[in-house]
């Protein structure tokens, strides 16, 4: 799906790149999740180690990103290179946002609530952060992570939903909270949203209506559905940094899973008796 989405992206003409390729890319609709990668980071070849094996026409794609591409290259070749330049910039972006300067830039976007808010009612409009489910391109689209309920959601916009998750990586949101622990939202009570605009009365009304609808759906569940089987099938998202689970989070999740297993066993007993 992601491969087709990339192929369907319209390519730009020479006039579109009058300022710079990166400026044009960031101003394009659907690319609001991305931040600007510093040019000196891109020009340091050490930071790009291994990316040449993931991107076709790597050298020319890099020249296009850094505005050093020969002007005599035909428009059709420019269009093909643009797809590879997007891929290359996305992979560079995933490495950049876990550096100190990259985290600071993404922090500003988080404070502006550029990635949206958690749709779960009890999270009380907690701002979200983008995360990838894999670091390999063309496998999974980007998801949005909520630090309050520790769950992930799909973007509302189809444009954002077609962004490759590898362009943000699997470690970014958890590393951001590790570097800025004051941003870790509380698990109960009102979250600290002083850095962003607070929800309006209209948004509060929507949340209340959604809560009532969820309660109605829950009350209407048929008795033939096995609650225990539904609970066992539920998957949990596990926050990781560079592939390793966070120590405190891992301990908490083990405790939560032990409680869940006991509850499931109790439900099975009740269903057998019934």
């Amino acid at each position: 799906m992601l491969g087709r989405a990339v192929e369907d992206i319209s390519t730009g003409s020479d006039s579109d790149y009058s300022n710079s390729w990166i400026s044009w890319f960031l101003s394009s609709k659907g690319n609001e999740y991305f931040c600007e990668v510093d040019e000196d980071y891109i020009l340091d070849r050490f930071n790009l180690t291994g990316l040449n094996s993931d991107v076709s026409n790597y050298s020319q794609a890099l020249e296009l990103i850094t505005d050093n591409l020969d002007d005599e290259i035909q428009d059709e070749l420019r269009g093909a290179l643009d797809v590879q330049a997007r891929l290359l910039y996305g992979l560079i972006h995933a490495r950049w946002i876990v550096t100190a300067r990259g985290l600071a830039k993404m922090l500003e976007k988080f404070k502006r609530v550029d990635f949206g808010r958690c749709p779960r009612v009890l999270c009380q409009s907690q701002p979200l952060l983008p995360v990838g489910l894999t670091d390999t391109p063309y496998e999974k689209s980007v998801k949005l992570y909520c630090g309050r309920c520790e769950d992930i959601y799909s973007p509302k916009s189809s444009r954002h939903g077609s962004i490759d998750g590898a362009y943000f990586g699997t470690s970014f949101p958890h590393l951001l909270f590790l570097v800025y622990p004051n941003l870790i939202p509380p698990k109960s009570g009102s979250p600290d949203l002083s850095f962003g605009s607070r929800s309006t009365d209209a948004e509060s009304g929507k949340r209340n209506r959604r809560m009532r609808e969820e309660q109605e759906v829950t009350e209407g569940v048929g008795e033939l559905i096995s609650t225990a089987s539904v609970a066992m099938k539920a998957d949990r998202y596990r926050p990781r940094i560079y592939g390793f689970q966070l120590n405190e989070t891992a301990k908490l999740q083990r405790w939560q899973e032990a409680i869940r297993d006991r509850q499931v066993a109790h439900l099975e007993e009740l269903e057998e008796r019934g």
Side-chain angles (χ1 to χ4, degrees), residues 1-270:
M1 182 182 75
L2 287 173
R4 291 196 299 271
V6 171
E7 291 175 1
D8 291 341
I9 296 174
S10 60
T11 57
S13 63
D14 290 344
S15 60
D16 292 330
Y17 308 101
S18 56
N19 294 323
S20 71
W21 187 92
I22 294 179
S23 298
W24 166 80
F25 175 79
L26 295 176
S27 62
S28 299
K29 288 184 178 180
N31 292 338
E32 292 82 6
Y33 286 1
F34 292 90
C35 71
E36 183 176 0
V37 180
D38 287 354
E39 186 176 359
D40 59 348
Y41 183 87
I42 298 176
L43 295 177
D44 187 343
R45 295 303 178 93
F46 176 78
N47 298 324
L48 313 185
T49 302
L51 295 184
N52 58 331
S53 60
D54 296 325
V55 181
S56 303
N57 301 317
Y58 168 81
S59 297
Q60 291 177 315
L62 182 59
E63 289 176 354
L64 177 56
I65 291 176
T66 56
D67 304 307
N68 292 317
L69 189 65
D70 192 342
D71 293 334
E72 296 180 359
I73 291 184
Q74 297 179 359
D75 288 342
E76 25 195 79
L77 181 57
R78 169 71 70 93
L81 281 178
D82 181 67
V83 175
Q84 298 304 315
R86 289 171 180 267
L87 171 61
L88 179 57
Y89 186 83
L91 297 177
I92 295 173
H93 183 268
R95 297 184 177 188
W96 161 251
I97 61 175
V98 293
T99 65
R101 288 183 295 172
L103 285 170
K105 285 194 174 183
M106 292 296 280
L107 174 61
E108 293 303 314
K109 296 179 70 66
F110 176 64
K111 289 181 176 180
R112 295 196 303 266
V113 198
D114 286 355
F115 311 113
R117 299 181 184 274
C118 183
R120 187 166 289 175
V121 173
L122 295 180
C123 286
Q124 301 185 32
S125 300
Q126 170 66 33
L128 301 171
L129 287 167
V131 65
L133 300 183
T134 175
D135 294 308
T136 305
Y138 300 136
E139 288 190 357
K140 298 285 186 179
S141 60
V142 69
K143 301 298 180 182
L144 298 172
Y145 173 76
C146 174
R148 188 173 169 95
C149 64
E150 297 181 1
D151 212 342
I152 55 174
Y153 304 90
S154 297
K156 291 182 179 180
S157 169
S158 58
R159 289 180 181 271
H160 297 150
S162 63
I163 298 175
D164 200 314
Y167 297 166
F168 297 88
T170 56
S171 304
F172 161 66
H174 323 304
L175 191 58
L176 182 76
F177 287 134
L178 187 64
V179 175
Y180 301 101
N182 60 304
L183 296 178
I184 299 176
K187 299 304 178 186
S188 61
S190 299
D192 180 13
L193 301 179
S194 56
F195 54 79
S197 57
R198 295 187 178 272
S199 57
T200 62
D201 293 339
E203 290 175 341
S204 300
K206 289 181 180 179
R207 288 200 303 272
N208 292 335
R209 286 195 298 273
R210 188 162 62 243
M211 181 180 289
R212 289 195 297 269
E213 290 171 358
E214 290 175 355
Q215 290 174 346
E216 292 173 0
V217 170
T218 303
E219 292 171 357
V221 174
E223 296 180 356
L224 297 178
I225 298 177
S226 172
T227 307
S229 62
V230 172
M232 290 299 293
K233 290 179 181 179
D235 291 330
R236 296 192 64 196
Y237 174 72
R238 300 178 181 275
R240 298 176 185 271
I241 296 180
Y242 301 124
F244 297 96
Q245 278 193 262
L246 283 70
N247 184 39
E248 292 301 322
T249 302
K251 288 195 297 184
L252 176 62
Q253 287 188 335
R254 284 196 295 270
W255 175 80
Q256 291 171 336
E257 287 170 0
I259 295 296
R260 186 193 67 173
D261 291 343
R262 288 202 291 268
Q263 291 175 337
V264 168
H266 181 62
L267 287 171
E268 289 176 340
E269 290 179 7
L270 293 176

